[in-house]
Amino acid sequence: MKSSKAANKPKRSTTTVVPAAPVREVHLWHYALGFFIAFCAVYQVYSPALNGPFLLDDSYLPYMLPNFYVLPVEDWLRGMRPLLMFSYWLNFKQSGNEVTYGYHLVNVVLHFFNGALIYLAVRKVLSWIHAEKSQREILAIFSAGLFLFHPIQTESVTYVASRSETLSVFFLLAAFVVFLYRKSASAGVGIAIAVLILFGAAILTKEHTAVLPALFLLTDYYWNPGFSFEGVRRNWKLYVPILIGGAIAAVFILRVLGQSPSAGFGMKDFTWYQYFFTQCRVIWDYLRMFLLPFGQNLDYDVPISRNLIDHGAIFGLIGLLAISALAWIYRRRFPLASYGWFTFLILLAPTSSFVPIRDPIAERRLYLPFIGLLLITVEFLRRWKIRQPTLIAVLGLVLVAESALSYQRNQLWNSALDIWKDTTDKSPAKWRPRFQLAFAYYHAGRCGEAVQEYTKASQLEKPQFELLVDWALAYDCAGNQEEAIVKLKEAAAITKNAHVYSQIGMEYGKQGKYPEALDALATAERLNPNFEMTYVYRGGVYELQGDKARAAEQYRRALAIDDLQYNQAARDGLTRLGQ
């Protein structure tokens, strides 16, 4: 019999205690270092185009307007996109309109911050499906990297006018991240105010962000608490004002679209249903470019589907409906992919649904809905049965390949000639790329080649006023004043204005036909007495005739009209005359 002392003695445990693995603490400087390395990589990828020229719509922005440098900031802010124009105003105050580096750099910085917001958004959504922490980090970083380095993003970042994409998406994603990271299921007053301010900033940058409330509704249905409208009811404090504001913005946007010549329901040659049928095909092009980014084009030549059968639009529509049905049926089994698909469609809807736009497809339109495709990608990656080191290596190789393609694409954007040669090769039957290539040749001083390209452009579409005037300038540059006058007279038959008649006067003056030159310049003055170049050219004619007094008078008249602008031609004329 054991003693009570022995009986009361505690038994030694046979279980081996394994010390817990130390938790690796992540410091703030780790994130700072990661962000710095990421920015350096983004900068390097886009560096070939940082000094690239202004292209297309860049030339119609406020910094290209007459007397732009003395316009008060209030004049820049007029219109539907005041925040966008304010960003250009800041760039102009820093860099003027000759150096493009600052304009491009701002776009790159905005793109980088958008990538950071993508990281936060994907990371949060992955936490809702209870993904492991390491998996969340890997997939969120990959999503941000794919967003930053995918070559389809080049147009949105490198094209200065596409700041409307990068800046508006920055505000939209910021509002979305604030919405996602709220501390409670229902948004409080502070969150609601912050979201409303950011949403308003997005709308004041570009109108397509008006779909943000639909994304909020979709998010609450899928994740708050999950496939239920309870979250929508909880967030009434947010939805009531945001829907009111969105409705007001929509009315205003629709009114503008009804009058726009390049977008909206006022386009007589491109109806809403024809645009919809065409988009049923175009959306598949976007999906293909996301998966296989080859054949990129600055100006696609897309045939219009005039009916549901035309160019196979019906097959595109059936495919979209089929995927949407599957995404809804399997929303509980594949929640990320389902949510991502409907996010993609919602964010793409402003440019790829029923509202006609002159250009049916543009790569920059994929910038906003890109996050939806990322979520679909993440759904499949998280289910991939593969060792984590191998997964990291594969994803890293994908990012390296995408970066190389983006770098190569940016090299084209560094030269107007290179990008338009590439575009005309891919859209040989389209008028606009040919016109732009001719313009690029002219500015490069390759006037003979410019004339050839203008000739080709005129064969693709009936020449309009702008083409004829530029064509004439190319002939003048090539030393053929006779053909230049022919083209200018053809332009004058379309539109009579001081610009074209002053050009005619200049050409006659170069030929020594002074009476004809002065007659054309007199016509220009009658049409618009405040067009200063009329007096510059007339001063040149008088100077060629040896009449220095009348030449100086004309140069002074030009400067009197345009006394705020540094009219170099008039000033040079006075310098030559010793005045």
Side-chain angles (χ1 to χ4, degrees), residues 258-323:
Q259 303 171 350
S260 174
S262 60
F265 301 107
M267 294 174 56
K268 297 180 180 179
D269 57 338
F270 200 5
T271 64
W272 64 268
Y273 59 86
Q274 291 171 346
Y275 188 77
F276 173 72
F277 296 152
T278 305
Q279 291 306 304
C280 290
R281 298 164 29 232
V282 166
I283 291 174
W284 288 101
D285 289 329
Y286 288 140
L287 294 172
R288 192 272 303 166
M289 285 189 283
F290 175 78
L291 293 172
L292 301 170
F294 62 85
Q296 288 184 252
N297 191 345
L298 178 55
D299 199 351
Y300 289 85
D301 191 5
V302 177
I304 305 302
S305 292
R306 302 294 176 181
N307 54 62
L308 190 55
I309 307 300
D310 204 9
H311 300 290
I314 188 171
F315 299 110
L317 177 60
I318 291 172
L320 293 174
L321 292 175
I323 292 182

Side-chain angles (χ1 to χ4, degrees), residues 135 138 381 383-395:
Q135 186 184 57
I138 292 169
L381 288 177
R383 295 171 181 272
W384 192 11
K385 304 299 182 183
I386 186 174
R387 293 176 64 249
Q388 194 173 95
T390 306
L391 175 64
I392 293 172
V394 171
L395 298 183

Side-chain angles (χ1 to χ4, degrees), residues 374-539:
L374 289 174
L375 291 168
I376 297 171
T377 304
V378 165
E379 176 75 89
F380 291 100
L381 288 177
R382 77 183 185 90
R383 295 171 181 272
W384 192 11
K385 304 299 182 183
I386 186 174
R387 293 176 64 249
Q388 194 173 95
T390 306
L391 175 64
I392 293 172
V394 171
L395 298 183
L397 288 174
V398 170
L399 294 182
V400 169
E402 301 285 4
S403 300
L405 292 173
S406 293
Y407 184 85
Q408 184 180 33
R409 186 70 181 162
N410 274 279
Q411 288 179 318
L412 286 177
W413 279 85
N414 186 50
S415 164
L417 280 174
D418 290 344
I419 191 66
W420 288 120
K421 282 180 183 177
D422 176 78
T423 306
T424 53
D425 287 344
K426 294 170 181 174
S427 299
K430 195 166 186 179
W431 170 85
R432 184 169 55 191
R434 190 70 61 181
F435 174 81
Q436 294 293 335
L437 177 59
F439 191 70
Y441 273 127
Y442 171 74
H443 273 276
R446 297 165 65 173
C447 304
E449 291 164 292
V451 169
Q452 292 175 11
E453 293 301 326
Y454 281 124
T455 303
K456 293 177 183 178
S458 70
Q459 295 168 351
L460 295 173
E461 192 172 303
K462 183 179 179 180
Q464 298 300 313
F465 177 83
E466 292 80 6
L467 183 142
L468 289 168
V469 172
D470 288 352
W471 196 356
L473 292 175
Y475 270 122
D476 172 73
C477 175
N480 191 339
Q481 279 76 41
E482 288 289 348
E483 281 298 325
I485 292 173
V486 170
K487 297 306 172 189
L488 288 170
K489 288 183 175 179
E490 290 179 21
I494 298 172
T495 303
K496 287 180 166 48
N497 61 26
H499 174 60
V500 67
Y501 275 98
S502 67
Q503 293 289 325
I504 292 173
M506 177 193 70
E507 297 297 340
Y508 275 130
K510 287 184 177 182
Q511 290 182 313
K513 298 179 179 180
Y514 302 131
E516 292 89 341
L518 293 172
D519 183 62
L521 292 168
T523 302
E525 184 178 5
R526 285 196 302 271
L527 291 171
N528 183 3
N530 292 318
F531 186 68
E532 72 277 1
M533 292 308 295
T534 298
Y535 307 105
V536 173
Y537 296 144
R538 186 183 284 158

Side-chain angles (χ1 to χ4, degrees), residues 16 54-55 59 67 127 185 259 264 272 285 339 353 441 545 562:
T16 304
F54 292 123
L55 297 169
S59 301
N67 297 330
S127 72
Q259 303 171 350
W272 64 268
D285 289 329
Y339 174 67
S353 55
Y441 273 127
Q545 291 179 305
D562 198 15

Side-chain angles (χ1 to χ4, degrees), residues 17 78 119 166 214 237 274 276 293 322-323 331 335 340 368 428 440 530:
V17 179
R78 291 174 183 169
Y119 162 80
T166 54
K237 293 178 183 178
Q274 291 171 346
F276 173 72
I323 292 182
R331 65 189 183 280
L368 175 59
N530 292 318

Side-chain angles (χ1 to χ4, degrees), residues 30-158:
H30 292 156
Y31 286 103
L33 179 60
F35 274 83
F36 175 75
I37 294 173
F39 178 76
C40 290
V42 172
Y43 183 89
Q44 183 62 32
V45 166
Y46 284 92
S47 61
L50 286 176
N51 292 299
F54 292 123
L55 297 169
L56 279 176
D57 290 346
D58 295 346
S59 301
Y60 300 101
L61 292 169
Y63 49 75
M64 292 296 186
L65 294 175
N67 297 330
F68 51 84
Y69 48 84
V70 295
L71 288 176
V73 66
E74 295 82 7
D75 287 353
W76 289 64
L77 303 184
R78 291 174 183 169
M80 293 183 62
R81 302 176 179 179
L83 291 184
L84 174 64
M85 296 306 158
F86 181 68
S87 75
Y88 289 134
W89 179 80
L90 291 174
N91 263 137
F92 175 74
K93 289 297 180 182
Q94 179 67 30
S95 306
N97 69 352
E98 297 293 334
V99 180
T100 62
Y101 177 84
Y103 295 87
H104 290 299
L105 180 62
V106 169
N107 283 16
V108 171
V109 171
L110 287 169
H111 181 54
F112 174 74
F113 282 122
N114 287 337
L117 292 170
I118 289 284
Y119 162 80
L120 293 173
V122 172
R123 188 170 177 265
K124 185 64 175 180
V125 175
L126 282 169
S127 72
W128 288 340
I129 60 171
H130 308 294
E132 295 180 0
K133 185 176 180 181
S134 60
Q135 186 184 57
R136 288 203 306 267
E137 291 296 323
I138 292 169
L139 295 181
I141 290 172
F142 173 73
S143 298
L146 192 58
F147 177 85
L148 290 171
F149 299 120
H150 199 290
I152 203 67
Q153 307 287 45
T154 306
E155 183 177 319
S156 299
V157 183
T158 303

